Amino acid sequence: MVSKKAILNKIQIVLTNHFETPEDAFNFFDKSGDGKLSKSEIVALLKDAEINGFIRGLVSSKLIDGYDKDGDDKIDWKEFKKAISEIAKDVK
């Protein structure tokens, strides 16, 4: 099984190597353009981070459970920024 740190590192690599800013990444993965990342949009981000299929489902659910503060089962920009900030701390 892949470690939490390895998963976070892969996410960090995608966000920093492929996008100028975290907001660019958020907007890229927000395919619906509603200003929120749905579970399927988060799964797409994790796929780009080369997280395998089974783990993608688990990680996307955990991200939503951990950061969705308004209870809409999506991650908005504010929630995304908080997640990215914590991922950056955990990767160091």
Side-chain angles (χ1 to χ4, degrees):
M1 174 131 308
V2 180
S3 73
K4 176 182 175 183
K5 186 166 182 137
I7 291 169
L8 295 177
N9 190 45
K10 287 182 176 190
I11 293 169
Q12 180 76 8
I13 289 168
V14 165
L15 296 178
T16 57
N17 290 354
H18 298 271
F19 300 98
E20 291 287 322
T21 66
E23 189 171 13
D24 288 342
F26 181 86
N27 290 330
F28 177 82
F29 289 105
D30 180 18
K31 299 296 185 193
S32 65
D34 66 353
K36 297 181 177 196
L37 297 180
S38 66
K39 183 172 182 175
S40 65
E41 291 166 332
I42 294 168
V43 166
L45 185 156
L46 296 172
K47 185 175 182 181
D48 280 9
E50 300 179 359
I51 308 298
N52 85 34
F54 175 73
I55 300 296
R56 277 195 299 264
L58 293 173
V59 172
S60 62
S61 292
K62 287 290 186 189
L63 284 171
I64 290 172
D65 289 347
Y67 293 99
D68 174 28
K69 299 305 178 196
D70 60 9
D72 64 356
D73 288 332
K74 295 182 179 186
I75 301 294
D76 64 26
W77 170 238
K78 184 177 177 182
E79 295 162 342
F80 185 79
K81 281 194 307 187
K82 182 171 174 64
I84 296 309
S85 172
E86 290 183 12
I87 286 171
K89 281 191 259 177
D90 286 347
V91 169
K92 290 181 180 179

